[in-house]
Amino acid sequence: LFKLSAVLCLAIAGGLGWYASQQVNLARALQENLDVANNRAILAELEAVTAQQAARESSQRADILAAEDLVMILLESQPAAPDARGRAYWSDGLGIVLTLMGLPPVPPGRTYHLWFVPATNPVSGGSLSLDDAGRIAATVHAPDGVTAPVPMAITLEPDGAGVAPIGEVYFLGRPN
């Protein structure tokens, strides 16, 4: 009877050990599933924020393009990019929409840069991001002190530059 009780206790202990092992494996699998679900939720949240930002930018561009005070500036390509095309749509009250296409890829350590050229010295309008198709679509605002459409230029500058244009000119444009 003692041997039978011992065998029965060992069998029960083995069964409980196996059951505990299965529960640990199940808990690990559930934790992995939870981690994957959390990562997907974070990714979805980032995609939603990106989509909301794109929608705001599209709405802002539409407002500028529909503005009553809109001035179109043809940006003429220069020898650095003879087949490129560009335009700026300037609303004093709402901002400026830039559309540039046909630009060559940016070499490492360089960036396209917008310049406003009032009667005095050029004023930086900031760096511009080129997409994989060689296009720039940006909404910008005239810097402080630039209150009406002025000539504009797009240059290729070293990263971090921005006090005065020193790089090659890709576009020049004047308001009509």
Side-chain angles (χ1 to χ4, degrees):
L1 187 65
F2 175 74
K3 288 183 184 182
L4 183 60
S5 295
V7 169
L8 189 57
C9 283
L10 283 174
I12 291 172
L16 289 174
W18 175 84
Y19 180 76
S21 170
Q22 293 300 312
Q23 293 304 307
V24 167
N25 289 338
L26 179 61
R28 281 189 192 131
L30 289 172
Q31 184 63 49
E32 288 172 7
N33 289 341
L34 181 60
D35 291 344
V36 168
N38 282 336
N39 288 338
R40 286 181 182 162
I42 290 169
L43 181 59
E45 186 175 331
L46 290 173
E47 289 173 347
V49 167
T50 301
Q52 289 170 345
Q53 177 68 22
R56 278 192 299 273
E57 289 173 4
S58 292
S59 177
Q60 183 181 19
R61 286 181 185 147
D63 289 345
I64 292 170
L65 295 172
E68 289 188 25
D69 67 343
L70 188 69
V71 173
M72 194 273 290
I73 300 173
L74 178 63
L75 299 171
E76 295 180 18
S77 64
Q78 301 300 298
D83 297 327
R85 296 180 313 276
R87 287 188 175 66
Y89 301 92
W90 189 312
S91 166
D92 284 335
L94 298 175
I96 303 158
V97 173
L98 286 175
T99 60
L100 309 168
M101 41 192 354
L103 288 164
V106 178
R110 312 277 289 183
T111 186
Y112 285 108
H113 203 93
L114 169 63
W115 299 96
F116 294 90
V117 189
T120 57
N121 296 322
V123 179
S124 174
S127 296
L128 300 169
S129 297
L130 186 68
D131 71 12
D132 293 336
R135 298 176 303 212
I136 295 173
T139 303
V140 297
H141 293 280
D144 291 340
V146 177
T147 57
V150 298
M152 301 169 75
I154 309 294
T155 61
L156 187 62
E157 301 291 339
D159 284 344
V163 177
I166 58 172
E168 192 165 15
V169 177
Y170 281 72
F171 286 101
L172 290 174
R174 296 184 180 285
N176 295 330

